[in-house]
Amino acid sequence: MTARLTIALDVMGGDRAPAVVIDGANIARERFPNVDFLMVGDEQRIAPLLARLPLLQKVSQILHTDKSVSADEKPSVALRTGRQSSMRLALDAVADGRAVAAVSAGNTGALMAMAKLSLRTVPGIDRPAIASILPSQRGETVMLDLGANVACDAENLVQFAIMGDAFARAVLGLVNPSIGLLNIGSEEMKGREELRQAAALLRESPLAAQFKGFVEGNNLSSGTVDVVVTDGFTGNVALKTAEGTAQLIVHLLRESFKSSIWARVAYLLMRPALSQFRNRVDPRRYNGAVFVGLNGIAVKSHGGTDGLGFANAIGVAVDMAMHGFLDKIRGQIAALQATAAEPVSAVSVVP
């Protein structure tokens, strides 16, 4: 029998908490019958919702706190005052082994700050990164960092490649995911010095066979590689641009089909194909960004998602836990350290 997993949920995080979190957990319960939930938040608000869902209630335990982190709270303030918040207690449950992962739709900056403090980083990793999945012509692409680190050096980028490789193996089920560094051109002389240094280090690392060199912005949607590595500033801009482009396409399609009677008739004929297209680019399907590099699994759901989107974020956490995400990162770090010419510190894990 498959061992049962406990996922800690920050039930008070998100624009429509706690209802959306409970709804998402109920959807996830059907998908993952081996999962239990530690519901962290205000029991007076959670219990009535669970009472309406007896099957979910059966696999859930409430950890009460009446404190939560607001959407606009500064990370520094959240660290000082939020030790008993639903967000922090969910992360602490992972740190002390009561849960295998934490999922929150709350304040991103506060979640990152609290996760770094509560879970710490994996030995050999300097900085955690935010990783997520984007749709592409070939299927799905992992991209990181999406905003945790504005500036990165070559060693950071190599570590992101390690974490992206482990993420793609755990969540997408890829055996040897291809890896590329996001740059302004594919030529070796293009880009900043840290990018060229990172490329050189990757070509000499255990990831050399998977590393395909530099990729450009248009390669994100074409799926040229399975894992795209970049700094947090560039990654966040690229992500928001992709999201905006998808929204623009949907908007233009809607306007086009309203333009004439014949366009409306065409819409009726194309309805099945359009439904398939809408499902393919539905942001809820790709909900669940992960703070990779931490000594524990923390998943960030979009704050404005619905139950289906939150269920998908829970699914990401379950996949990472079931497929040994942390062990894969530790194994890659050990392999890099073993190839070093001399002993290395946590700051320098590559030859």
Side-chain angles (χ1 to χ4, degrees), residues 80-95:
R80 291 196 308 271
T81 64
R83 294 183 180 181
Q84 295 300 312
S85 67
S86 56
M87 180 183 289
R88 177 62 185 269
L89 293 180
L91 292 166
D92 286 347
V94 178

Side-chain angles (χ1 to χ4, degrees), residues 290-336:
V290 181
F291 295 152
V292 292
L294 297 171
N295 202 28
I297 299 170
V299 176
K300 172 65 174 71
S301 167
H302 194 288
T305 194
D306 61 7
L308 178 59
F310 196 85
N312 286 333
I314 293 174
V316 171
V318 173
D319 284 341
M320 294 179 70
M322 291 184 63
H323 294 93
F325 171 73
L326 294 177
D327 289 338
K328 287 182 172 66
I329 288 182
R330 294 185 185 108
Q332 286 283 15
I333 289 292
L336 283 169

Side-chain angles (χ1 to χ4, degrees), residues 7-14 16-23 25 37-43 45-47 49-50 61-63 65 68 86-87 90 103-106 310:
I7 306 295
L9 304 180
D10 171 16
V11 185
M12 312 314 294
R16 290 176 286 168
V20 163
V21 177
I22 300 295
D23 186 28
F37 297 103
L38 179 62
M39 304 277 187
V40 188
D42 189 341
E43 186 170 11
R45 298 180 64 186
I46 297 172
L49 295 174
L50 282 180
Q61 175 186 353
I62 299 175
L63 176 60
T65 179
S68 60
S86 56
M87 180 183 289
V103 184
S104 174
F310 196 85

Side-chain angles (χ1 to χ4, degrees), residues 56-85:
L56 176 62
Q57 187 178 43
K58 186 177 180 180
V59 296
S60 300
Q61 175 186 353
I62 299 175
L63 176 60
H64 172 70
T65 179
D66 58 3
K67 296 178 174 59
S68 60
V69 176
S70 65
D72 57 354
E73 195 164 330
K74 293 182 179 179
S76 58
V77 175
L79 279 177
R80 291 196 308 271
T81 64
R83 294 183 180 181
Q84 295 300 312
S85 67

